[in-house]
Amino acid sequence: MASVVKINVLTVPAEQREVLEQRFASRAGAVEGSDGFEWFELLRPLEGTDQYLVYTRWASEEAFQAWMSGPMQAAHRPAAPAGEGEGAAQRPAASGSTLWSFEVVQSAGPKQA
């Protein structure tokens, strides 16, 4: 069975980039222990776009769906900003989000010497 790749395309205004990156840094480890999880990368745009790419690779679509219906829900629950009451929710750093799905057809890594 081929791995699947999920790329969440996040539109992030320039003034929210640091906020987004800090939020991802503070959630480190939230997905890594999930069954079927293979890889994660947060990709920052260098030029020509305001879209970040959140790359995850999974052993199967079923593994991704299991994460979406359980651990992802907990990881994305809004938290109160520093200095605000328990009930206050953080505003999203991204102004838009699109999920792309791919099946890995070919893959390569560096050749071993």
Side-chain angles (χ1 to χ4, degrees):
M1 184 182 319
S3 295
V4 295
V5 169
K6 302 293 181 171
I7 299 174
N8 194 2
V9 183
L10 302 175
T11 301
V12 182
E15 66 275 7
Q16 290 295 313
R17 285 181 166 201
E18 190 173 327
V19 171
L20 179 86
E21 291 179 23
Q22 281 293 330
R23 287 182 185 169
F24 271 94
S26 69
R27 56 115 318 263
V31 68
E32 287 86 335
S34 299
D35 287 342
F37 170 79
E38 296 179 352
W39 201 260
F40 162 85
E41 290 179 316
L42 175 62
L43 306 176
R44 176 193 304 138
L46 294 178
E47 58 188 37
T49 185
D50 59 357
Q51 294 180 316
Y52 276 71
L53 301 181
V54 182
Y55 173 101
T56 57
R57 183 171 165 154
W58 299 87
S60 66
E61 179 67 25
E62 293 75 22
F64 172 74
Q65 292 301 328
W67 176 74
M68 286 286 289
S69 63
M72 188 282 299
Q73 298 292 331
H76 289 83
R77 210 169 272 133
E84 294 193 21
E86 188 72 27
Q90 290 180 322
R91 290 184 302 140
S95 62
S97 174
T98 302
L99 183 65
W100 295 343
S101 298
F102 299 88
E103 181 176 57
V104 177
V105 178
Q106 293 184 22
S107 182
K111 290 185 178 184
Q112 301 299 316

